[in-house]
Amino acid sequence: MLRFALSRALSLALSLVVASVVIFAVIEVIPGDPASYMLGLNATPEAVAALRDQLGLTGSLPVRYFAWAGGMLTGDFGISYTYKVPVADLVAQRLWISLPLALYALALSTLIAFPVGLIAAARRGSVTDYGIMGATQLGIAVPNFWFAMLLVLVFAVNLRWFSAGGFPGWEGGPLPALKALTLPAIALALPQASILARVTRSALIETLSQDYIRTARAKGLSRRQATTRHGLRNAMIPVLTIIGLQFSFLLAGAIIIENVFFLPGLGRLIFQGITQRDLIVVESLVMLLVFAVILVTFLVDLAYAVVDPRLRRRA
Amino acid sequence: MKLNAQLWIGGVLTALFIAAALVSFIWTPHDVTALTIADKLKPPSALYLLGTDHFGRDLLSMLMVGARTSIAVALLAVGIGMGLGVPLGLLAAATRGSLLDEVVMRGNDLIFAFPSLVIAILITAVFGPSAVNAILAIGIFNIPVFARVTRGGALRLWTLDYILAARVAGKGRLRISFEHILPNITSLLIVQGTIQFSLGILAEAALSYVGLGAQPPTPSWGRMLAEAQTMIYTNPALAILPGLAIVAMVLGLNLMGDGLRDLLDPRVRRARG
């Protein structure tokens, strides 16, 4: 297990290095000088020179890369040009909206998808199964930001149960904050739950047709016992993969959903960074998002090894 | 029976949108660039079948041209993915276990680590928002998908006797890849192409919704939704129709993809029966 974890950790580190080089290179590709790009056409040469200095653009390429990457490692993400505060502070503030939102959506999606997929698999070929499959097919086709608009239309405009957007902060207790995140989380969760339900169903159907399930039944276990004791655990591998993949979709999806509900999270920050040409914010945030995705992939790999001992030996 | 129904419904829906997009090149009920402020926010009528938006533009015409934008972006993105991903996958499979194979697969993992939207944000941050950059952003994400599917399909074929026969006959790995492997994985690629096409439609809608896709005055479904959002209290219809168009198009493509997979891959059919 330790060897497996170490080899995965090594590939995690390697991915991070390559990803950071790619992001750094893309920002470097910007035609002309990032400093004059950020300041626009009317900037004085003195202002551009001052910003170049502040951005650390005076050194050679490798020096600049190591300064940036080294800073990221120690939690120094640079100073936002437009906000005049460290990017790390901005991230720390905004993370308390984006992360709970993604986790809320992930929890909702899993809570809905598991039972639904289980029922569909257990009643395979029935009207219930076809109904569920049809509904998930529709759920996959609905863009989450449009679903979010429909939720606003129904629950905020017509029923007035929720506000159409904004965030009260966590200072007033967790309930108002969670309430503000509920519609966004539902909007994010719907397509993911549809995919997850389909994967759960097909993974279970696949597992339940295995010989060891037949053996378990022959030894006297009921259908339910065989499913819960032997089927579920073996069906977890593809389901875990999808949950891991979904995390990156949820993070990216949160970027858009935050814009629908005017939530001041990381997603809003990225877009403000783009429109205000604040490259330091964009560069550091993209790196952070990629780091989060790579880290989750690593954790999912470890989770596999816990669920399936065969994978430990293979590494 | 169910198999044919899926393929039919999906095919008809898809054909409908492609037809609307093609027709929009030569004819739309109204000019989408002409702003008739006097006719703004009109309900559906004989003159404007689906009504008008806040600039007095005909909604039906906007939806038709929007279909064109969506389809063009998604299709070109699939083209990029196939054009680069398939040769990479073939090469990787032909040199299984080599450094090239390793580099291709690791590179794929890396692209998967960037959520497609983040790639799009990075590209637009650098090159500015436009339809071309949206195509690039979605297309780059398609490359590893096609490389992976191609490699997987090709690896299975490399173990078969007729490939061995071709090798004995003296054909090189590259020739075998393109003459014998590629024709035999076309069904896999068609199915994957349909799936990526539908994902591309969704991605284009999301990008243009946040302003990173096709720029005004080119109509796109995503931006129509973004503009309708501010008027959702007074004119909810404007926020509903473009969304329905996206759902119908994506649903059609997904159903068609499932139907095609069942039709082209006998193993799935047997497993289901």
Side-chain angles (χ1 to χ4, degrees), chain A residues 127-150:
Chain A
V127 181
T128 320
D129 184 22
Y130 280 123
I132 288 175
M133 287 294 98
T136 55
Q137 190 70 266
L138 197 63
I140 292 172
V142 174
N144 55 17
F145 63 90
W146 183 59
F147 186 55
M149 287 169 67
L150 294 184

Side-chain angles (χ1 to χ4, degrees), chain A:
Chain A
M1 186 66 199
L2 190 67
R3 249 194 80 197
F4 178 80
L6 276 178
S7 85
R8 297 315 307 166
L10 198 71
S11 95
L12 167 99
L14 198 68
S15 306
L16 284 178
V17 170
V18 181
S20 67
V21 171
V22 170
I23 292 169
F24 182 76
V26 168
I27 297 288
E28 284 294 322
V29 162
I30 289 180
D33 182 340
S36 38
Y37 172 88
M38 284 164 71
L39 291 177
L41 290 174
N42 300 324
T44 60
E46 294 79 38
V48 173
L51 183 62
R52 278 180 63 89
D53 207 41
Q54 189 197 331
L55 290 174
L57 288 180
T58 35
S60 66
L61 264 183
V63 170
R64 276 170 9 218
Y65 169 75
F66 283 112
W68 172 67
M72 292 288 290
L73 278 180
T74 53
D76 171 15
F77 301 164
I79 292 177
S80 159
Y81 178 70
T82 42
Y83 292 90
K84 315 279 183 207
V85 290
V87 177
D89 291 357
L90 287 174
V91 169
Q93 276 170 27
R94 310 287 182 112
L95 197 62
W96 287 107
I97 294 170
S98 299
L99 196 62
L101 176 59
L103 292 176
Y104 194 173
L106 193 66
L108 276 180
S109 147
T110 314
L111 280 177
I112 299 168
F114 267 16
V116 167
L118 198 72
I119 291 170
R123 307 203 180 151
R124 187 185 175 195
S126 70
V127 181
T128 320
D129 184 22
Y130 280 123
I132 288 175
M133 287 294 98
T136 55
Q137 190 70 266
L138 197 63
I140 292 172
V142 174
N144 55 17
F145 63 90
W146 183 59
F147 186 55
M149 287 169 67
L150 294 184
L151 288 175
V152 168
L153 195 60
V154 174
F155 293 103
V157 178
N158 287 325
L159 295 175
R160 297 178 186 274
W161 290 355
F162 294 90
S163 66
F167 189 71
W170 295 95
E171 298 81 26
L175 275 182
L178 280 178
K179 193 181 170 195
L181 291 181
T182 298
L183 287 187
I186 294 175
L188 266 177
L190 173 87
Q192 307 301 330
S194 303
I195 297 171
L196 199 59
R198 292 177 80 90
V199 173
T200 308
R201 174 185 177 270
S202 54
L204 261 175
I205 287 178
E206 170 87 31
T207 332
L208 292 181
S209 69
Q210 299 289 322
D211 286 342
Y212 57 78
I213 295 291
R214 198 168 15 164
T215 309
R217 293 292 308 276
K219 283 165 66 185
L221 263 66
S222 71
R223 223 184 125 88
R224 180 179 297 249
Q225 285 171 323
T227 306
T228 48
R229 283 191 210 164
H230 301 284
L232 274 180
R233 190 175 164 122
N234 282 292
M236 279 312 282
I237 298 264
V239 175
L240 267 177
T241 313
I242 299 298
I243 292 182
L245 274 179
Q246 288 198 334
F247 184 76
S248 74
F249 280 110
L250 285 173
L251 271 180
I255 296 177
I256 290 196
I257 291 294
E258 281 172 11
N259 280 282
V260 182
F261 290 96
F262 309 103
L263 296 172
L266 292 177
R268 297 275 296 168
L269 191 61
I270 284 198
F271 280 110
Q272 281 159 356
I274 290 180
T275 47
Q276 293 160 348
R277 304 188 156 198
D278 195 339
L279 289 177
I280 303 173
V281 166
V282 175
E283 187 179 33
S284 297
L285 276 180
V286 168
M287 186 63 218
L288 267 182
L289 282 177
V290 171
F291 169 71
V293 172
I294 293 179
L295 185 71
V296 170
T297 315
F298 169 71
L299 294 176
V300 169
D301 275 352
L302 287 191
Y304 283 158
V306 174
V307 175
D308 188 348
R310 284 171 301 181
L311 289 175
R312 279 174 234 164
R313 260 173 276 134
R314 213 178 289 164

Side-chain angles (χ1 to χ4, degrees), chain B residues 6-244:
Chain B
Q6 268 191 333
L7 197 56
W8 268 106
I9 299 172
V12 167
L13 272 176
T14 309
L16 216 67
F17 280 102
I18 292 178
L22 288 177
V23 168
S24 79
F25 277 106
I26 45 173
W27 177 81
T28 50
H30 295 268
D31 183 0
V32 290
T33 51
L35 313 180
T36 323
I37 303 295
D39 281 345
K40 71 172 181 178
L41 299 171
K42 280 270 189 313
S45 64
L47 182 59
Y48 302 106
L49 279 178
L50 296 176
T52 60
D53 74 354
H54 54 302
F55 288 128
R57 291 174 295 188
D58 175 48
L59 210 56
L60 179 63
S61 310
M62 297 269 292
L63 286 175
M64 284 170 71
V65 184
R68 190 210 289 173
T69 312
S70 279
I71 292 172
V73 169
L75 210 56
L76 287 169
V78 170
I80 291 178
M82 275 198 184
L84 291 170
V86 171
L88 278 177
L90 284 175
L91 280 177
T95 58
R96 184 183 190 176
S98 71
L99 186 69
L100 179 75
D101 184 20
E102 195 64 22
V103 168
V104 169
M105 294 325 284
R106 289 290 147 259
N108 277 342
D109 288 346
L110 195 73
I111 296 189
F112 272 120
F114 289 75
S116 51
L117 193 68
V118 174
I119 292 190
I121 287 170
L122 206 58
I123 290 178
T124 46
V126 174
F127 299 105
S130 73
V132 175
N133 289 338
I135 294 169
L136 276 179
I138 303 169
I140 289 175
F141 199 66
N142 280 339
I143 298 172
V145 175
F146 282 105
R148 195 163 291 216
V149 167
T150 305
R151 181 177 177 270
L155 280 182
R156 246 199 322 272
L157 293 179
W158 272 103
T159 60
L160 298 184
D161 285 343
Y162 74 93
I163 300 292
L164 189 65
R167 292 190 64 184
V168 173
K171 285 196 180 179
R173 285 176 172 271
L174 208 61
R175 246 184 100 185
I176 293 177
S177 288
F178 284 93
E179 285 178 12
H180 300 292
I181 307 270
L182 187 57
N184 284 297
I185 55 169
T186 35
S187 62
L188 267 181
L189 294 178
I190 289 173
V191 172
Q192 197 61 46
T194 318
I195 297 170
Q196 296 312 117
F197 191 4
S198 94
L199 289 176
I201 301 274
L202 279 175
E204 192 275 337
L207 284 179
S208 57
Y209 172 75
V210 289
L212 301 183
Q215 295 299 299
T218 312
S220 70
W221 291 341
R223 214 187 41 258
M224 287 171 76
L225 286 175
E227 287 173 3
Q229 201 182 346
T230 50
M231 298 175 283
I232 199 164
Y233 292 90
T234 48
N235 295 77
L238 287 179
I240 289 174
L241 286 171
L244 282 180

